[in-house]
Amino acid sequence: MLIKVRGWQPFDGESLLDDVGVVLDDVVPAEEALEDHALRLRGHLMQLVAIAVAAEAGRKDPEAEQLIERARRLRTEAMPGDHFQAVGHLRRMAWSVNELHERLGAIKCLREVA
């Protein structure tokens, strides 16, 4: 239990939106930054899914359930080796983060949604 408490990170909506914005920007992320972006987006997906599960969002809202399943699937997919395919994968993850974040705010599972 202590290990989980020490590893807990509070929800940071601002950081989430910053990471989504960087990946969805018109400027393609540099190849050396792709893994870092993927790690942060996977973290956001994991945290949003955990919030959704704790709030039973999937049971209350069919759209949330679909977004949760998509987030779980994307989070586990391997990063493609090709740079542009990897960017496409990152952008799918970023859209998933953004959509799940917005949906959880709309159904009152999150207090702050920008």
Side-chain angles (χ1 to χ4, degrees), residues 80-97:
D82 177 74
H83 177 72
F84 288 106
Q85 288 179 350
V87 170
H89 178 70
L90 282 178
R91 289 185 172 170
R92 284 189 298 279
M93 285 197 327
W95 274 114
S96 184
V97 166

Side-chain angles (χ1 to χ4, degrees), residues 58-75:
R59 290 185 182 174
K60 298 174 187 175
D61 185 72
E63 185 178 345
E65 183 176 9
Q66 290 176 349
L67 292 170
I68 292 165
E69 289 306 313
R70 181 170 19 144
R72 285 177 170 156
R73 186 182 66 251
L74 283 170
R75 187 187 72 202

Side-chain angles (χ1 to χ4, degrees), residues 20-29 87 91:
V20 166
V22 167
V23 171
L24 295 179
D25 193 357
D26 289 339
V27 177
V28 176
V87 170
R91 289 185 172 170

Side-chain angles (χ1 to χ4, degrees), residues 36-80:
D36 188 43
H37 290 307
L39 183 65
R40 287 199 307 271
L41 289 173
R42 282 188 188 104
H44 293 309
L45 286 172
M46 288 173 53
Q47 193 169 40
L48 289 172
V49 167
I51 291 168
V53 168
E56 297 183 344
R59 290 185 182 174
K60 298 174 187 175
D61 185 72
E63 185 178 345
E65 183 176 9
Q66 290 176 349
L67 292 170
I68 292 165
E69 289 306 313
R70 181 170 19 144
R72 285 177 170 156
R73 186 182 66 251
L74 283 170
R75 187 187 72 202
T76 61
E77 287 180 7
M79 182 79 98

